[in-house]
Structure formats: C-alpha cells, structure tokens
Amino acid sequence: MPTFSRTDSIGIIQPNITVFQARPEDTDAVLQLLVRTAEWLKSKGSTQWSGLLQGEDSHQTPEAIKRGEVYIFMQENILAGMVMLMQRESAWDRELWGDEGHSSSIYLHRLNINREAAGKNLGEAIVHWADSGIQFAGKDRIRLDCIANNPRLNAFYVSCGYECKGSASNPMGEFNKYEKLISSK
C-alpha cells in the first residue's frame, strides 16, 4: 500500500488513527484497499464486493471522492481504513430503500479496514465517528445495507446501535437494511 503524508486532519478516532477527507490524489490508494478487501473476502468464500475484482464499482468511488464523500483513516502514514458517507442516495440506495426518507439520510457505504489494521475495533470506531463525529446539515439518520447471509456483519451493525429496517433483494443478492437516528444541525 502507498504511504501518505497529510496535514489536513479532521479528527482522531483512536490513538494513532487520524481522519482525513479523501482527495483525488488518494483515489488509487483507496481503490487498491477496496480491491484487496474484495480479494480477502473471496478467499473467505464470500462474493461480497466481487464486482470490484472485475473492475465494477457500483458506488463510483472516484466520483464520490471528488464530491467529498469518502473519508480515510490513517495510522501514521498507512491507510488503515475508509468509509463512504453519501449525502444523496444512489441508484443502489433507491433500489433497496424505495422512495421514502432520502432527503434526511446519509448513506454509509464501503466501510473497509486494511487487514493489517484489523482486530483493533477500528470498524466500530469508524461507524461511531460517522454517526457522532461528523455532522451534515439537515440529515437526521444514517442508512446502510449489508449482505443478509453474513450473520457476523449484521450483528456488528446491531452492536453499533443500528436498527434493522427489513430486507430487500436485487440481482446481487439479498440485503438487510439498517438505520440509526443521529443529531442533525
């Protein structure tokens, strides 16, 4: 993984884990992390994020970076994790969530931990930061979806205070939908 030298931090979520808004020059490193995670998931028998291995990015990460919706988490100068916080629903979100509640929602996608930084509750720290460490005007909830057949991942989101709001299917599979109310400004 490439190393980084940044001075424009927007927070610290754990000792030695600093938050930055991703910039266009971070795109290659972010995409590398996503692909490495997709490869790791495949090695575990999961098809989750498998489109990334064929060059398909359903969440259009480079465009999300340009819109300021991708946040990276650095451990010193190593990319330890990332998350996408979209202020407008994507076609994916509309397909799974239907027509209701989009204007007041942030959509959390691509929570991703570098395997080298795993096992230190970084995923939980990122999710907590997303719902209380950053605010978006007019938004009072965070929504996310995760593959329904991964009980550990579903339990993780419940343990982070998210409420299951049902499930939905699309050609990629069945997904559980989660939502958490947050303070809005």
Side-chain angles (χ1 to χ4, degrees), residues 8 18 20 26 32 50 72-73 76 84 119 127 138-139 145 155 166:
D8 56 337
T18 307
F20 297 89
D26 301 323
Q32 285 178 27
S50 60
I72 57 176
F73 300 82
E76 298 173 6
M84 187 179 293
V127 170
K139 306 294 184 178
D145 62 85

Side-chain angles (χ1 to χ4, degrees), residues 6-23 26 68-76 78-83 85 122 125-130 133-134 136:
R6 301 272 301 263
T7 59
D8 56 337
S9 165
I10 58 172
I12 296 175
I13 62 168
Q14 287 182 339
N16 299 322
I17 303 288
T18 307
V19 185
F20 297 89
Q21 193 168 32
R23 299 187 301 211
D26 301 323
E69 296 176 332
V70 176
Y71 299 87
I72 57 176
F73 300 82
M74 306 299 297
Q75 184 172 15
E76 298 173 6
I78 304 296
L79 180 56
M82 62 149 300
V83 70
L85 298 173
L122 181 56
I126 291 171
V127 170
H128 179 67
W129 175 83
I134 187 168
F136 299 95

